[in-house]
Amino acid sequence: MAKKTKKKVVKKKSTVKTKKGSPDQQAIETLVELIRVTSTVIPADVDRAIEKAKGVEKPNTTAAYAMNIISDNIGLAKTKSQPLCQDTGTVVFYIYHPPGFHQTPFIKQIHKAVTAATKKGYLRENSVNSLTGENAGTNLGAGHPSIHFVEHSAKTLEVKLMLKGGGCENVSTQYSLPDTGLSAGRDLDGVRKVVLDAVVKAQGKGCGPGVLGVCIGGDRADSHAHAKKQLFRKMGERSKIKELAALEVEIVETCNKLGIGPMGFGGTTTILECLMDHRNRVPASFIVSVSYMCWAFRRQGAVIDTKTMKLKKWLY
Amino acid sequence: MIELKYPFSRDEVRKLKVGDMVLITGKLFTGRDAVHKYLHEGHPSPVNLKDQIIYHCGPVVMKDKHGKYTVTAAGPTTSIREEPYQWQVMRDHGIVGVIGKGGMGPKTLEACKQYGAVYFHAIGGAAQVLAERITSVDGVYLEEFGSPEAIWELSVDKFPVVVTMDSHGGSLHKEVEEASKENLKHLV
Ligand code: SF4
């Protein structure tokens, strides 16, 4: 009985509040389109990196075979407008908004858009209650989707979205330096050692070739969040800090000499990119976080007109 | 490129070596955590698995108005979770191979050798390419485990995989892991 009444209310609300063409309805439509594009189309910068990596592997090797299938899959997902990978991941939003923006209604619009995108199959029913194992089938639940708001001085609304798969999340990791086992001290050389260790441990899992987001410092929570946030940088966007920029390049080169290769089959391209940044730490701790992203690197961003809530342009 | 066609023969499977790129045409049965645990507990299989291939996969299956099933996404899932059970399924049910991702451990490698089976690695995340190679859904068993965990009987055409563990004790995963650790020593 209670269920029935609840359903009615929702229905009424949706016909009254989200009139066709209203900014509210438009916001939901724009967000669904953002989810569709993120789930089905690999961003141009990642696509270029994958195509380049494909050319590097020796022909007729298992590594080349893997890269060819990955590349075909990218083409097919786009044409069919279907998810690149069946694991459509944790849904992570970062919203950059002007001062005075109302967050609560936007959260509701996001929830509606996520539910709609799940119905349309752009997202798999992928969010499970950690205690009961129950899957509501909507991708809504405690802490999901993950939504972060940031105020910026621009007048525009920028919504960035990442779909972070489970396999690559499982191999993402964190270190506390010094790490005696790895002879990693509290300096950039120590950071380099733990990042390389993470890559060797991730082999065969997390669907490589991967991309690394790294954060040096911060507390455990912020450090990992900041590492993941680096994955919103474009491929090839070097750190503004000279030492880190050099380390990013060096880590990619070194990883690609390990011989792990795509899918861990052996071969050249183990890592496509490494994006690093830092946070302050307390003197007693030195945390390094590595967020590992699989080849199915799904992130996109939309610049949205705050009045009409229509899409103005894509960010990637 | 090697073509492996249904009905699968153990002799042909024995010939496969680590690194072989194989296109499988014929039949696959999906089976993941629930199925492996169920068989491990000694329950009989609802379908004869002798000389068949098990695919570690939780497919996305749609049913149309006429009750016809189609697979819309079918990438491999991580195989290592079945490590405690896989050897036994090889021994008791006579499968000739498994398909998954990430490789498996020493118990499975030993069973591959003993019973004449191989581990095929599918390309992780390639949901669309792999779904395209599934030509029909021919049956479903143990549906009570839920759609992703059920046994789906699938017809496949040129399903692309790589042999990463063979029936001669070869494991690409072991090789690459050892080599990369050795390389790392020189690179740090
Ligand atoms: S790690 Fe990435 S590509 Fe692999 S199965 Fe998970 S989401 Fe898909």
Side-chain angles (χ1 to χ4, degrees):
Chain A
M1 190 64 194
K3 232 182 186 170
K4 228 178 177 179
T5 345
K6 205 173 159 199
K7 227 180 188 171
K8 249 185 195 161
V9 173
V10 172
K11 224 178 180 177
K12 201 172 163 199
K13 216 174 170 185
S14 64
T15 46
V16 173
K17 273 201 100 181
T18 56
K19 259 193 240 143
K20 256 216 148 110
S22 70
D24 190 34
Q25 182 59 28
Q26 183 58 52
I28 297 166
E29 270 169 35
T30 305
L31 288 166
V32 170
E33 179 61 3
L34 171 62
I35 297 168
R36 184 190 72 81
V37 171
T38 311
S39 176
T40 63
V41 186
I42 212 99
D45 60 323
V46 181
D47 197 20
R48 275 195 296 275
I50 288 176
E51 286 306 310
K52 200 173 146 206
K54 187 173 112 179
V56 168
E57 300 299 340
K58 281 200 203 97
N60 300 320
T61 57
T62 49
Y65 188 52
M67 289 312 296
N68 285 336
I69 291 175
I70 287 172
S71 168
D72 289 352
N73 194 70
I74 289 171
L76 208 55
K78 188 176 175 179
T79 337
K80 289 170 56 178
S81 194
Q82 282 192 10
L84 279 151
C85 176
Q86 72 273 3
D87 182 357
T88 53
T90 302
V91 179
V92 187
F93 283 97
Y94 273 89
I95 295 130
Y96 299 81
H97 62 81
F101 180 79
H102 293 300
Q103 297 182 355
T104 316
F106 199 64
I107 292 174
K108 283 191 188 143
Q109 288 158 353
I110 287 181
H111 285 180
K112 282 186 185 161
V114 165
T115 309
T118 309
K119 263 200 199 121
K120 287 179 187 244
Y122 303 141
L123 298 175
R124 175 171 79 173
E125 295 177 3
N126 214 30
S127 188
V128 172
N129 182 312
S130 298
L131 300 181
T132 63
E134 189 204 341
N135 187 335
T138 55
N139 276 312
L140 303 184
H144 199 259
S146 156
I147 306 174
H148 310 260
F149 287 99
V150 185
E151 186 177 289
H152 66 181
S153 52
K155 286 204 179 74
T156 49
L157 175 65
E158 283 181 17
V159 182
K160 293 185 180 177
L161 171 62
M162 183 185 297
L163 303 177
K164 184 74 170 61
C168 59
E169 190 67 6
N170 290 345
V171 296
S172 296
T173 183
Q174 206 165 54
Y175 296 85
S176 170
L177 301 189
D179 186 315
T180 39
L182 298 171
S183 315
R186 291 182 155 190
D187 51 24
L188 286 187
D189 186 55
V191 171
R192 173 177 179 273
K193 280 181 179 147
V194 298
V195 174
L196 293 177
D197 180 66
V199 171
V200 168
K201 287 202 177 120
Q203 68 180 283
K205 303 168 201 119
C207 299
V211 176
L212 307 175
V214 177
C215 176
I216 305 164
D219 72 354
R220 285 192 182 267
D222 278 342
S223 185
H224 216 117
H226 198 62
K228 195 177 272 183
K229 237 172 122 179
Q230 300 316 303
L231 299 169
F232 280 113
R233 278 161 55 186
K234 278 196 182 154
M235 309 285 280
E237 188 189 318
R238 294 275 69 86
S239 166
K240 293 197 174 63
I241 300 155
K242 239 173 64 196
E243 293 85 346
L244 282 191
L247 189 56
E248 289 172 344
V249 174
E250 199 271 336
I251 283 178
V252 174
E253 279 174 13
T254 306
C255 286
N256 292 344
K257 285 182 193 150
L258 289 169
I260 295 170
M263 289 292 137
F265 284 172
T268 310
T269 311
T270 300
I271 287 297
L272 295 166
E273 181 60 286
C274 176
L275 302 158
M276 307 179 89
D277 200 19
H278 69 108
R279 302 272 89 177
N280 267 23
R281 61 184 176 85
V282 294
S285 85
F286 195 119
I287 302 291
V288 179
S289 304
V290 181
S291 184
Y292 187 101
M293 177 60 100
C294 54
W295 70 259
F297 188 165
R298 288 153 294 171
R299 61 118 157 81
Q300 192 44 270
V303 181
I304 298 172
D305 186 300
T306 46
K307 285 211 180 69
T308 62
M309 296 311 273
K310 281 191 174 147
L311 172 81
K312 280 172 87 172
K313 67 170 199 204
W314 296 114
L315 284 169
Y316 298 96
Chain B
M1 201 69 68
I2 298 169
E3 291 212 30
L4 186 66
K5 286 199 178 121
Y6 194 83
F8 308 121
S9 95
R10 208 162 289 271
D11 288 345
E12 259 179 83
V13 168
R14 280 267 187 207
K15 279 188 213 141
L16 296 173
K17 297 241 161 55
V18 157
D20 282 346
M21 293 169 252
V22 179
L23 296 172
I24 302 175
T25 297
K27 194 184 278 301
L28 304 177
F29 290 92
T30 67
R32 50 185 290 177
D33 310 65
V35 167
H36 281 82
K37 190 161 172 284
Y38 182 82
L39 297 178
H40 171 77
E41 284 164 354
H43 298 281
S45 172
V47 54
N48 187 357
L49 292 171
K50 174 121 182 50
D51 295 335
Q52 304 294 348
I53 295 175
I54 289 184
Y55 180 21
H56 298 156
C57 167
V60 180
V61 186
M62 306 295 247
K63 196 179 193 173
D64 71 11
K65 279 185 289 207
H66 315 289
K68 195 176 164 267
Y69 292 113
T70 44
V71 175
T72 55
T77 186
T78 303
S79 299
I80 197 71
R81 291 194 306 268
E82 315 317 335
E83 179 66 7
Y85 317 123
Q86 198 67 68
W87 65 275
Q88 204 185 339
V89 175
M90 285 180 174
R91 184 193 65 185
D92 299 346
H93 297 274
I95 56 172
V96 289
V98 288
I99 307 175
K101 73 163 177 164
M104 300 188 75
K107 270 190 186 168
T108 304
L109 188 59
E110 186 51 40
C112 283
K113 210 166 141 183
Q114 209 170 337
Y115 310 115
V118 291
Y119 179 85
F120 298 106
H121 201 302
I123 306 303
Q128 295 309 328
V129 166
L130 299 178
E132 283 250 314
R133 306 296 172 93
I134 295 170
T135 49
S136 65
V137 179
D138 307 324
V140 56
Y141 311 89
L142 298 177
E143 219 180 344
E144 60 270 27
F145 291 161
S147 174
E149 293 280 353
I151 297 182
W152 292 94
E153 182 177 350
L154 309 172
S155 283
V156 292
D157 184 34
K158 299 198 169 72
F159 192 89
V161 290
V162 173
V163 177
T164 57
M165 292 160 68
D166 62 26
S167 61
H168 310 283
S171 164
L172 185 67
H173 308 284
K174 227 169 79 191
E175 273 171 39
V176 173
E177 192 177 342
E178 279 164 13
S180 63
K181 281 189 175 151
E182 195 52 37
N183 290 339
L184 182 64
K185 273 191 210 150
H186 304 296
L187 291 165
V188 290

